[in-house]
Short mmCIF file of all heavy atoms in Angstrom, two decimals:
data_model
loop_
_atom_site.label_atom_id
_atom_site.label_comp_id
_atom_site.label_asym_id
_atom_site.label_seq_id
_atom_site.Cartn_x
_atom_site.Cartn_y
_atom_site.Cartn_z
N LEU Q 140 84.61 21.47 32.42
CA LEU Q 140 86.02 21.34 32.15
C LEU Q 140 86.30 21.14 30.66
O LEU Q 140 87.22 21.74 30.01
CB LEU Q 140 86.71 20.17 32.94
CG LEU Q 140 88.14 19.78 32.62
CD1 LEU Q 140 89.06 20.99 32.90
CD2 LEU Q 140 88.56 18.54 33.51
N MET Q 143 85.74 24.49 28.95
CA MET Q 143 86.81 25.46 29.28
C MET Q 143 88.13 25.23 28.47
O MET Q 143 88.71 26.21 28.11
CB MET Q 143 87.01 25.46 30.86
CG MET Q 143 85.97 26.09 31.72
SD MET Q 143 86.42 26.14 33.46
CE MET Q 143 84.99 26.77 34.25
N ARG Q 144 88.39 23.89 28.35
CA ARG Q 144 89.50 23.63 27.59
C ARG Q 144 89.36 24.03 26.20
O ARG Q 144 90.32 24.59 25.50
CB ARG Q 144 89.88 22.12 27.59
CG ARG Q 144 90.34 21.64 28.93
CD ARG Q 144 90.30 20.13 28.97
NE ARG Q 144 91.07 19.52 30.09
CZ ARG Q 144 91.08 18.25 30.53
NH1 ARG Q 144 90.27 17.42 29.83
NH2 ARG Q 144 91.76 17.87 31.62
N ALA Q 147 89.96 27.76 25.86
CA ALA Q 147 91.46 27.99 25.94
C ALA Q 147 92.08 27.77 24.67
O ALA Q 147 92.98 28.51 24.28
CB ALA Q 147 92.02 27.29 27.10
N LYS Q 148 91.60 26.72 24.01
CA LYS Q 148 92.18 26.36 22.71
C LYS Q 148 91.98 27.48 21.77
O LYS Q 148 92.92 27.65 20.92
CB LYS Q 148 91.46 25.01 22.23
CG LYS Q 148 91.89 24.60 20.93
CD LYS Q 148 91.24 23.31 20.49
CE LYS Q 148 91.68 22.82 19.01
NZ LYS Q 148 90.88 21.58 18.62
N ARG Q 150 91.59 30.58 22.55
CA ARG Q 150 92.02 31.82 23.21
C ARG Q 150 90.74 32.71 23.52
O ARG Q 150 90.95 34.01 23.44
CB ARG Q 150 93.06 32.56 22.41
CG ARG Q 150 94.27 31.85 22.23
CD ARG Q 150 95.08 31.81 23.56
NE ARG Q 150 96.46 31.42 23.41
CZ ARG Q 150 96.85 30.14 23.59
NH1 ARG Q 150 96.09 29.15 23.74
NH2 ARG Q 150 98.24 29.81 23.36
N ILE Q 153 86.77 33.10 29.51
CA ILE Q 153 85.77 32.29 30.20
C ILE Q 153 85.03 33.19 31.42
O ILE Q 153 85.82 33.94 32.15
CB ILE Q 153 86.53 31.09 30.91
CG1 ILE Q 153 87.00 30.20 29.96
CG2 ILE Q 153 85.39 30.31 31.83
CD1 ILE Q 153 87.95 29.09 30.36
N ALA Q 178 88.60 18.45 41.91
CA ALA Q 178 90.06 18.69 42.06
C ALA Q 178 90.69 18.88 40.68
O ALA Q 178 91.48 19.83 40.48
CB ALA Q 178 90.69 17.49 42.77
N GLU Q 179 90.39 18.16 39.57
CA GLU Q 179 90.96 18.22 38.28
C GLU Q 179 90.41 19.52 37.63
O GLU Q 179 91.29 20.17 37.07
CB GLU Q 179 90.43 17.11 37.47
CG GLU Q 179 91.05 15.76 37.80
CD GLU Q 179 90.48 14.62 36.97
OE1 GLU Q 179 89.38 14.75 36.36
OE2 GLU Q 179 91.24 13.57 36.83
N LEU Q 180 89.15 19.92 37.90
CA LEU Q 180 88.67 21.13 37.30
C LEU Q 180 89.39 22.46 37.98
O LEU Q 180 89.78 23.28 37.17
CB LEU Q 180 87.20 21.29 37.51
CG LEU Q 180 86.41 22.56 37.04
CD1 LEU Q 180 86.85 22.77 35.58
CD2 LEU Q 180 84.99 22.33 37.14
N MET Q 181 89.60 22.40 39.27
CA MET Q 181 90.40 23.47 39.89
C MET Q 181 91.75 23.58 39.39
O MET Q 181 92.30 24.67 39.02
CB MET Q 181 90.30 23.32 41.39
CG MET Q 181 88.94 23.48 42.08
SD MET Q 181 88.88 23.01 43.76
CE MET Q 181 90.00 24.29 44.45
N PHE Q 182 92.41 22.37 39.24
CA PHE Q 182 93.74 22.42 38.74
C PHE Q 182 93.78 23.03 37.36
O PHE Q 182 94.70 23.81 36.94
CB PHE Q 182 94.37 21.01 38.85
CG PHE Q 182 95.75 20.94 38.11
CD1 PHE Q 182 96.88 21.42 38.70
CD2 PHE Q 182 95.78 20.42 36.80
CE1 PHE Q 182 98.06 21.36 38.05
CE2 PHE Q 182 96.96 20.25 36.19
CZ PHE Q 182 98.15 20.70 36.79
N GLU Q 183 92.90 22.49 36.42
CA GLU Q 183 92.97 22.95 35.10
C GLU Q 183 92.61 24.41 34.99
O GLU Q 183 93.36 25.04 34.16
CB GLU Q 183 91.97 22.05 34.22
CG GLU Q 183 92.34 20.66 34.00
CD GLU Q 183 93.45 20.53 33.06
OE1 GLU Q 183 93.69 21.39 32.25
OE2 GLU Q 183 94.15 19.47 33.04
N MET Q 184 91.72 24.89 35.70
CA MET Q 184 91.48 26.37 35.70
C MET Q 184 92.65 27.19 36.07
O MET Q 184 92.83 28.21 35.56
CB MET Q 184 90.27 26.70 36.56
CG MET Q 184 88.93 26.22 36.02
SD MET Q 184 87.49 26.87 37.03
CE MET Q 184 87.47 28.55 36.44
N SER Q 185 93.47 26.63 36.94
CA SER Q 185 94.64 27.42 37.47
C SER Q 185 95.68 27.55 36.40
O SER Q 185 96.50 28.40 36.44
CB SER Q 185 95.22 26.78 38.64
OG SER Q 185 95.83 25.53 38.29
N VAL Q 186 95.62 26.74 35.32
CA VAL Q 186 96.71 26.79 34.31
C VAL Q 186 96.16 27.00 32.86
O VAL Q 186 96.92 27.08 31.94
CB VAL Q 186 97.47 25.42 34.21
CG1 VAL Q 186 98.21 25.33 35.69
CG2 VAL Q 186 96.63 24.33 33.97
N LEU Q 187 94.83 27.39 32.75
CA LEU Q 187 94.24 27.61 31.39
C LEU Q 187 94.88 28.96 30.87
O LEU Q 187 94.88 29.96 31.51
CB LEU Q 187 92.73 27.73 31.51
CG LEU Q 187 92.00 26.43 31.61
CD1 LEU Q 187 90.51 26.65 31.77
CD2 LEU Q 187 92.24 25.46 30.46
N HIS Q 188 95.26 28.88 29.56
CA HIS Q 188 95.94 30.05 28.98
C HIS Q 188 94.84 30.89 28.35
O HIS Q 188 94.78 31.06 27.12
CB HIS Q 188 96.92 29.56 27.97
CG HIS Q 188 98.14 29.17 28.53
ND1 HIS Q 188 98.40 28.18 29.51
CD2 HIS Q 188 99.44 29.71 28.37
CE1 HIS Q 188 99.59 28.10 29.91
NE2 HIS Q 188 100.27 28.97 29.20
N THR Q 189 94.01 31.45 29.16
CA THR Q 189 92.93 32.40 28.69
C THR Q 189 92.38 33.17 29.95
O THR Q 189 92.33 32.58 30.96
CB THR Q 189 91.82 31.62 27.98
OG1 THR Q 189 90.97 32.58 27.22
CG2 THR Q 189 90.94 30.88 28.91
N PRO Q 190 91.89 34.35 29.74
CA PRO Q 190 91.38 35.16 30.89
C PRO Q 190 90.12 34.42 31.52
O PRO Q 190 89.31 33.91 30.79
CB PRO Q 190 90.99 36.46 30.30
CG PRO Q 190 91.83 36.58 29.08
CD PRO Q 190 91.95 35.25 28.55
N ILE Q 191 90.01 34.48 32.86
CA ILE Q 191 88.84 33.87 33.51
C ILE Q 191 88.24 34.92 34.52
O ILE Q 191 89.04 35.45 35.38
CB ILE Q 191 89.22 32.59 34.29
CG1 ILE Q 191 89.84 31.59 33.32
CG2 ILE Q 191 87.97 32.01 34.88
CD1 ILE Q 191 90.44 30.33 34.00
N VAL Q 209 88.05 29.46 40.08
CA VAL Q 209 89.52 29.80 39.98
C VAL Q 209 89.80 30.69 38.82
O VAL Q 209 89.94 30.15 37.80
CB VAL Q 209 90.43 28.49 39.85
CG1 VAL Q 209 91.87 28.88 39.94
CG2 VAL Q 209 90.10 27.46 41.04
N GLY Q 210 89.84 31.99 39.16
CA GLY Q 210 89.91 32.92 38.09
C GLY Q 210 90.91 34.11 38.24
O GLY Q 210 91.45 34.22 39.35
N ASP Q 211 91.14 34.79 37.15
CA ASP Q 211 91.97 36.03 37.28
C ASP Q 211 91.40 37.10 38.11
O ASP Q 211 91.96 37.95 38.84
CB ASP Q 211 92.37 36.55 35.93
CG ASP Q 211 92.97 35.42 35.10
OD1 ASP Q 211 94.04 34.98 35.42
OD2 ASP Q 211 92.34 35.01 34.06
N VAL Q 298 99.24 35.85 28.29
CA VAL Q 298 98.64 34.78 28.97
C VAL Q 298 99.61 34.01 29.97
O VAL Q 298 99.14 33.61 31.00
CB VAL Q 298 98.22 33.60 27.86
CG1 VAL Q 298 97.01 34.18 27.14
CG2 VAL Q 298 99.39 33.24 26.99
N GLU Q 299 101.01 34.08 29.66
CA GLU Q 299 101.88 33.48 30.69
C GLU Q 299 101.86 34.27 31.95
O GLU Q 299 101.83 33.74 33.05
CB GLU Q 299 103.30 33.53 30.04
CG GLU Q 299 103.49 32.68 28.91
CD GLU Q 299 102.96 33.23 27.55
OE1 GLU Q 299 102.61 34.41 27.58
OE2 GLU Q 299 103.08 32.55 26.55
N LEU Q 301 99.15 36.04 33.04
CA LEU Q 301 97.81 35.68 33.59
C LEU Q 301 98.02 34.51 34.49
O LEU Q 301 97.45 34.45 35.62
CB LEU Q 301 96.88 35.52 32.46
CG LEU Q 301 96.12 36.71 31.88
CD1 LEU Q 301 95.09 36.07 30.73
CD2 LEU Q 301 95.37 37.52 32.95
N VAL Q 302 98.56 33.34 33.97
CA VAL Q 302 98.55 32.14 34.70
C VAL Q 302 99.44 32.28 35.86
O VAL Q 302 99.12 31.78 36.99
CB VAL Q 302 99.24 31.04 33.76
CG1 VAL Q 302 99.41 29.90 34.58
CG2 VAL Q 302 98.23 30.75 32.61
N ARG Q 303 100.61 32.98 35.83
CA ARG Q 303 101.48 33.26 37.06
C ARG Q 303 100.70 34.05 38.11
O ARG Q 303 100.79 33.65 39.27
CB ARG Q 303 102.72 33.96 36.57
CG ARG Q 303 103.70 33.17 35.78
CD ARG Q 303 105.07 33.82 35.82
NE ARG Q 303 105.01 35.17 35.23
CZ ARG Q 303 105.23 35.40 33.91
NH1 ARG Q 303 105.51 34.42 33.06
NH2 ARG Q 303 105.24 36.66 33.57
N ARG Q 305 97.46 34.38 38.43
CA ARG Q 305 96.31 33.60 38.91
C ARG Q 305 96.83 32.57 40.01
O ARG Q 305 96.19 32.41 40.99
CB ARG Q 305 95.62 32.82 37.71
CG ARG Q 305 94.32 32.14 38.10
CD ARG Q 305 93.82 31.27 36.99
NE ARG Q 305 93.88 32.07 35.69
CZ ARG Q 305 94.01 31.59 34.47
NH1 ARG Q 305 94.20 30.26 34.28
NH2 ARG Q 305 93.98 32.35 33.36
N TYR Q 306 97.85 31.87 39.72
CA TYR Q 306 98.45 30.93 40.67
C TYR Q 306 98.82 31.68 42.05
O TYR Q 306 98.38 31.30 43.12
CB TYR Q 306 99.67 30.31 40.11
CG TYR Q 306 100.30 29.31 41.06
CD1 TYR Q 306 99.76 27.96 41.25
CD2 TYR Q 306 101.43 29.59 41.79
CE1 TYR Q 306 100.36 27.14 42.06
CE2 TYR Q 306 102.08 28.72 42.61
CZ TYR Q 306 101.55 27.42 42.77
OH TYR Q 306 102.16 26.58 43.65
N PHE Q 309 95.81 32.75 44.36
CA PHE Q 309 95.23 31.74 45.27
C PHE Q 309 96.16 31.25 46.29
O PHE Q 309 95.73 30.76 47.29
CB PHE Q 309 94.65 30.66 44.32
CG PHE Q 309 93.34 30.97 43.80
CD1 PHE Q 309 93.27 31.66 42.52
CD2 PHE Q 309 92.06 30.68 44.36
CE1 PHE Q 309 92.07 32.05 42.10
CE2 PHE Q 309 90.84 31.02 43.93
CZ PHE Q 309 90.78 31.67 42.64
#
Side-chain angles (χ1 to χ4, degrees):
L140 176 56
M143 286 183 184
R144 285 171 172 166
K148 178 180 179 180
R150 295 292 193 266
I153 297 167
E179 289 177 341
L180 180 51
M181 291 174 64
F182 171 76
E183 289 288 341
M184 287 188 76
S185 71
V186 296
L187 284 177
H188 280 57
T189 193
I191 305 174
V209 182
D211 305 295
V298 290
E299 293 80 7
L301 275 180
V302 173
R303 288 196 301 270
R305 189 186 307 152
Y306 179 81
F309 281 87

